[in-house]
């Protein structure tokens, strides 16, 4: 069982930056594709970004392309989401997920997906 713990959320002004981290408890971390999703109040959860197990492939939602960067450090069992040029519409709870990279990038997690508990990101205008 993989346990995921997100951190790095907070309150930031529009145009600012935040870096989210997601630390995994399991040494099998490097076998999983990793993804970030977000859910705003009253809205469905939406895909943000995904990265393959090796880190060689990444994929982004159009709404965050050119502003967000996903990366991973398999030696530290951690995946990151660098968020720049933040907008009020980026306000949401951000969740990391461990699953097949192909399932994550089509925003269709499998039944065996692992989720973190989420971290709140609030962008003020």
């Amino acid at each position: 069982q993989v346990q995921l713990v997100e951190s790095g959320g907070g309150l930031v002004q529009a145009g600012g930056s935040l870096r989210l981290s997601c630390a995994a408890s399991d040494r099998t971390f490097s076998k999983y594709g990793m993804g970030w999703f977000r859910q705003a109040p009253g809205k469905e959860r939406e895909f943000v970004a995904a990265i393959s197990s090796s880190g060689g492939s990444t994929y982004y939602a159009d709404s965050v392309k050119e502003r967000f960067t996903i990366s991973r450090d398999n030696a530290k069992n951690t995946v990151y989401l660098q968020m720049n040029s933040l907008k009020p519409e980026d306000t949401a709870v951000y969740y990391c997920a461990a699953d097949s990279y192909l399932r994550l990038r089509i925003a269709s997690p499998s039944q065996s997906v692992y989720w973190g508990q989420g971290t709140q990101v609030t962008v003020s205008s």
Side-chain angles (χ1 to χ4, degrees):
Q1 178 118 4
V2 178
Q3 293 185 330
L4 303 173
V5 179
E6 300 98 334
S7 60
L11 174 64
V12 64
Q13 288 189 331
S17 299
L18 282 174
R19 188 175 83 153
L20 305 183
S21 299
C22 172
S25 63
D26 199 278
R27 286 178 291 179
T28 60
F29 171 81
S30 62
K31 298 181 181 180
Y32 289 93
M34 296 297 297
W36 288 95
F37 290 74
R38 66 187 182 187
Q39 187 166 20
K43 294 189 176 181
E44 296 286 320
R45 182 179 62 200
E46 66 172 352
F47 168 80
V48 175
I51 188 166
S52 62
S53 57
S54 68
S57 297
T58 57
Y59 189 76
Y60 297 91
D62 288 343
S63 59
V64 306
K65 210 172 287 185
E66 307 297 332
R67 299 189 299 122
F68 291 10
T69 302
I70 189 171
S71 61
R72 66 189 297 162
D73 185 339
N74 284 346
K76 295 182 178 179
N77 289 352
T78 302
V79 63
Y80 305 98
L81 185 68
Q82 177 67 44
M83 305 186 294
N84 299 329
S85 302
L86 282 161
K87 305 175 181 180
E89 51 263 43
D90 294 318
T91 295
V93 178
Y94 284 70
Y95 299 90
C96 67
D99 200 355
S100 152
Y101 170 66
L102 294 179
R103 295 296 296 263
L104 290 171
R105 63 172 283 168
I106 63 171
S108 180
S110 68
Q111 290 186 345
S112 59
V113 62
Y114 295 102
W115 292 100
Q117 84 289 349
T119 186
Q120 176 70 47
V121 171
T122 303
V123 184
S124 63
S125 57

